[in-house]
Amino acid sequence: MLQNRFGKLAAAALAGSMLMGAAACGGSEEPATSATAAAPSDGASSAAPAAAGAKVGLAYDIGGRGDQSFNDAAAAGLDKAKSELGLAETKELEAGNGETEAAKEERLRLLADGGYNPIIAIGFAYSGSLKKVAAEFPDIKFAIVDDADATGANISNLLFAEHEGSFLVGAAAALKSKKGHVGFIGGVQVPLINKFEAGFAAGAKAVKADIKIDSKYLSQPPDFTGFADPAKGKTAAEGMFDAGADVVYQAAGGSGSGVFEAAKAAGGLAIGVDSDQAKTAAADLQGVIMTSMLKKVDVAVFDFLKSFADNTVKSGTTSYDLKAGGVDYSTTGGQVDDIKAKLDEFKQKIISGEITVPDKTS
């Protein structure tokens, strides 16, 4: 542990120097409806300071603020909290390609040693490092997005029903496909991204049972560069469009921009993920994005910070599903207006339990 190697004074000095080099910038996005379901507290103390005195640390996944997708959704939640909760200070740090587990641990320790509380880790890749560091700082509240394995009295797990939102855009893809042939591109082949694929395939098949679905992942763990390689995303999508697909859904983080480029070149359509990418992608690519699967990471981040401000932080899992408004599909650009009634019908059937969406491929 950093404190044991160098002593608390040295650790604090190191934290200060490294944190000064990390930039945080502004920006905002309209929030969505908050989820309400949360696991009961395990009785841990929630003696957190008021939001106005809080120093919030946020550790991004690969791509960081500006990825126009997953990380930017988290950034939007932080920006809303800055505006509405009057946070004293925020610090945003970013993961690097190919970094070690030790690097993730050090990033979280730097925030903790720098006096940041609470600290939010964006992405399942922080699971092991956050669980370890949270145990070293029991008086600091931690949250992690997309991971249920890192557990502790001071850890909040913010989870989503990605498969439910992906069902809706899968149905949209099948309804809009003129060739009966669609594709899915995942950033990294891990169980989380498989949830996107499973829901997408189920939605497409609910519309057209014999639809052809191509699937490809850009990298295999422990290589997570598939979330930050637009060139690789473009090549994968080009292959799908050349093979006859006319709609491709990407759950690939920063690599998604390459998928949009391929869709434009092929005269096809693409589906965005996490954020409403018809708003966030480059202007010349927004027109090919027929819809996006909205994953309300902004809501989860804001909700957690609001609970911290209210001294109501609960450890354990909070689930953001379709019923809670945690996932959905976007309508920007009007390209799904003609099928919106059908998509909303599917939505209500999922919410009511008439349709159960698989969360893994068979």
Side-chain angles (χ1 to χ4, degrees):
M1 191 169 72
L2 186 65
Q3 296 96 316
N4 291 338
R5 292 201 309 268
F6 301 110
K8 292 184 178 179
L9 183 61
L14 176 60
S17 62
M18 293 189 69
L19 289 172
M20 285 178 65
C25 52
S28 63
E29 187 169 318
E30 184 177 349
T33 303
S34 299
T36 56
S41 173
D42 57 9
S45 171
S46 59
K55 295 173 59 177
V56 178
L58 193 146
Y60 289 116
D61 203 349
I62 295 172
R65 183 190 278 264
D67 71 346
Q68 302 176 352
S69 185
F70 179 59
N71 290 297
D72 269 359
L78 180 64
D79 291 340
K80 183 173 187 285
K82 288 179 186 177
S83 173
E84 297 187 14
L85 303 180
L87 305 178
E89 184 181 339
T90 63
K91 186 63 66 177
E92 303 169 46
L93 302 179
E94 178 183 332
N97 281 326
E99 70 178 16
T100 64
E101 192 74 9
K104 291 182 175 63
E105 292 175 16
E106 183 176 12
R107 181 174 304 114
L108 296 173
R109 286 197 189 99
L110 286 170
L111 290 169
D113 281 326
Y116 291 88
N117 182 22
I119 296 170
I120 308 173
I122 308 302
F124 64 87
Y126 282 100
S127 179
S129 56
L130 184 131
K131 184 172 184 178
K132 184 175 181 178
V133 175
E136 298 168 7
F137 296 90
D139 295 330
I140 292 178
K141 299 296 185 184
F142 291 82
I144 183 167
V145 175
D146 284 348
D147 177 73
D149 293 333
T151 57
N154 58 335
I155 299 175
S156 300
N157 308 83
L158 311 178
L159 306 180
F160 294 84
E162 296 91 352
H163 53 306
E164 293 182 353
S166 294
F167 182 102
L168 298 178
V169 299
L175 289 166
K176 285 292 186 176
S177 175
K178 297 177 180 179
K179 299 181 179 180
H181 188 175
V182 299
F184 170 82
I185 294 176
V188 183
Q189 191 164 13
V190 292
L192 173 65
I193 305 303
N194 186 249
K195 287 175 67 178
F196 290 82
E197 180 187 0
F200 176 75
K205 291 177 180 178
V207 170
K208 183 177 175 58
D210 62 348
I211 193 168
K212 183 176 181 180
I213 305 172
D214 295 332
S215 179
K216 183 175 180 61
Y217 289 86
L218 302 181
S219 67
Q220 300 290 324
D223 177 7
F224 288 91
T225 60
F227 289 130
D229 193 336
K232 190 175 288 186
K234 182 177 182 179
T235 298
E238 286 173 341
M240 289 184 180
F241 287 119
D242 288 346
D246 55 357
V247 183
V248 175
Y249 174 37
Q250 62 83 18
S255 299
S257 61
V259 176
F260 301 152
E261 290 174 3
K264 180 181 179 181
L269 292 171
I271 297 175
V273 73
D274 295 337
S275 299
D276 184 351
Q277 295 195 285
K279 294 180 178 178
T280 63
D284 64 324
L285 300 176
Q286 292 176 3
V288 305
I289 304 171
M290 57 174 269
T291 186
S292 295
M293 196 287 279
L294 302 177
K295 178 174 173 178
K296 310 298 181 61
V297 179
D298 58 331
V299 172
V301 168
F302 180 83
D303 282 356
F304 173 71
L305 293 175
K306 180 67 164 57
S307 70
F308 182 88
D310 295 339
N311 284 339
T312 58
V313 172
K314 297 180 179 180
S315 63
T317 297
T318 300
S319 296
Y320 291 81
D321 59 8
L322 192 58
K323 184 176 183 178
V327 294
D328 209 334
Y329 69 95
S330 67
T331 59
T332 297
Q335 297 194 57
V336 295
D337 286 356
D338 58 330
I339 60 172
K340 188 175 185 301
K342 184 63 177 178
L343 298 180
D344 287 345
E345 180 183 341
F346 279 128
K347 182 192 295 188
Q348 291 307 312
K349 288 182 177 180
I350 294 171
I351 290 173
S352 71
E354 182 177 344
I355 293 177
T356 300
V357 183
D359 60 4
K360 62 181 69 175
T361 55
S362 55

